[in-house]
Amino acid sequence: MSECLQASLVNRLDEIEKLAARVDEFCRQNQIAAKDAYAINVSLDELVTNVISYGYEDKAEHRIEIQLRMDNGWVEARIDDDARAFNPMEKPPPDLTKPLAERPIGGLGIHIVRKMMDSVSYRRQDGKNVLVLRKKVVANS
Amino acid sequence: MDIQFTEKTPFTIVTISGRLDASCADEAIQSIDARIKQGSRKLIMNLSKLEYASSAGLRVFLLAAKKTQGLNGSVEFCGINDLIAEIFEINGFKDLFPFHSNEEEALKNFKQ
């Protein structure tokens, strides 16, 4: 049983599908329910996609480090990146009561993360953004 | 991600399969735009083969809905799985769009 996953991604969007395959495997090995596996995958996807799409001012290759571990019925995921300082949790939630014509196209990703995770913490440390996500998970029966 | 279009006049069935994330959302947006330009107005998004969607997928659907609405058309959904339905739900899509269990139901009960 693998209780820890470490992945080092380059800043390309096609890396996310590869990460998802590894996260699914981690969740299977730890008997995490499909619903929770989806929540973890989509949260990592949203945050990493933001970093790749908006975080870098140069065209260079950058590394984004992902760690996932099980801790007493909780999954803890950590994302470290060297993109510009950005705390996604400071973004105001989107207004989901507006009619279609006025509905914003963006800002939904971070909303998904907030809804799917039990806690999200951000810190800037040694020139890096560090995000730690925690979710209580249900074991597959 | 794979996207297929089937004309069932006056409807266009849009079947999206696989993973719909930020790496392929723009491709989906462009294919759907092209169909709307060719005259498609009433789109049925068949998601029965869709395995995964992130907010990038929601963007695809919102853009298609906004565009068709501006042309007196609309977007409805069928065949969505429970995992993806939760993503739709927490973003208020259940209040914005009709959902049908399958393609036949969508064709029969599409709101004009």
Side-chain angles (χ1 to χ4, degrees):
Chain A
M1 186 153 116
S2 165
E3 292 195 342
C4 192
L5 180 157
Q6 293 211 16
S8 179
L9 314 183
V10 296
N11 53 323
R12 284 198 326 261
L13 291 174
D14 62 356
E15 291 274 281
I16 289 169
E17 184 168 359
K18 292 181 220 161
L19 173 67
R22 293 192 58 193
V23 171
D24 281 338
E25 178 61 24
F26 173 87
C27 290
R28 261 194 304 274
Q29 284 172 352
N30 289 287
Q31 274 111 40
I32 293 168
K35 188 178 183 301
D36 292 333
Y38 196 108
I40 296 161
N41 254 323
V42 78
S43 299
L44 288 172
D45 176 344
E46 299 295 351
L47 294 167
V48 172
T49 293
N50 274 350
V51 171
I52 294 173
S53 303
Y54 312 113
Y56 300 108
E57 277 141 22
D58 58 27
K59 301 258 182 248
E61 186 172 292
H62 295 267
R63 287 269 163 190
I64 302 162
E65 308 295 337
I66 313 286
Q67 282 179 47
L68 213 58
R69 63 185 186 90
M70 276 301 284
D71 177 18
N72 247 332
W74 289 76
V75 168
E76 186 179 285
R78 176 176 161 151
I79 305 169
D80 287 58
D81 66 72
D82 65 349
R84 69 169 157 219
F86 174 63
N87 179 358
M89 294 306 114
E90 283 175 355
K91 279 203 73 160
D95 183 350
L96 301 178
T97 62
K98 289 187 166 166
L100 177 62
E102 297 159 39
R103 189 67 69 106
I105 298 290
L108 301 182
I110 289 164
H111 176 65
I112 291 173
V113 178
R114 275 205 191 95
K115 287 282 184 184
M116 292 292 203
M117 292 292 120
D118 290 304
S119 75
V120 182
S121 74
Y122 169 85
R123 64 180 186 270
R124 184 81 180 170
Q125 181 184 310
D126 304 327
K128 291 196 166 191
N129 298 305
V130 181
L131 276 162
V132 179
L133 321 179
R134 283 172 61 82
K135 183 172 181 64
K136 183 116 180 77
V137 293
V138 181
N140 264 329
S141 46
Chain B
M1 192 274 296
D2 182 61
I3 183 162
Q4 306 238 354
F5 298 91
T6 314
E7 293 301 331
K8 291 205 173 167
T9 313
F11 305 106
T12 302
I13 317 265
V14 185
T15 305
I16 305 176
S17 41
R19 284 177 57 89
L20 185 54
D21 64 18
S23 71
C24 57
D26 287 349
E27 186 191 331
I29 290 167
Q30 283 161 19
S31 330
I32 295 169
D33 273 3
R35 281 284 160 156
I36 296 171
K37 285 207 180 81
Q38 287 165 27
S40 291
R41 296 290 179 267
K42 296 177 179 186
L43 307 184
I44 296 172
M45 301 289 178
N46 183 340
L47 307 187
S48 57
K49 293 177 190 161
L50 190 64
E51 291 158 16
Y52 174 88
S54 66
S55 66
L58 300 181
R59 200 172 74 230
V60 172
F61 301 129
L62 276 175
L63 281 169
K66 283 172 184 263
K67 275 175 198 145
T68 51
Q69 190 185 49
L71 300 161
N72 295 318
S74 58
V75 168
E76 302 199 3
F77 294 87
C78 70
I80 189 169
N81 77 35
D82 290 349
L83 297 174
I84 300 171
E86 193 181 354
I87 299 287
F88 276 56
E89 200 154 348
I90 62 180
N91 285 289
F93 273 41
K94 290 277 157 90
D95 304 325
L96 281 185
F97 303 108
F99 288 79
H100 308 278
S101 52
N102 55 45
E103 206 172 289
E104 278 142 46
E105 292 292 315
L107 286 165
K108 202 161 65 187
N109 299 318
F110 198 97
K111 308 208 175 29
Q112 298 300 313

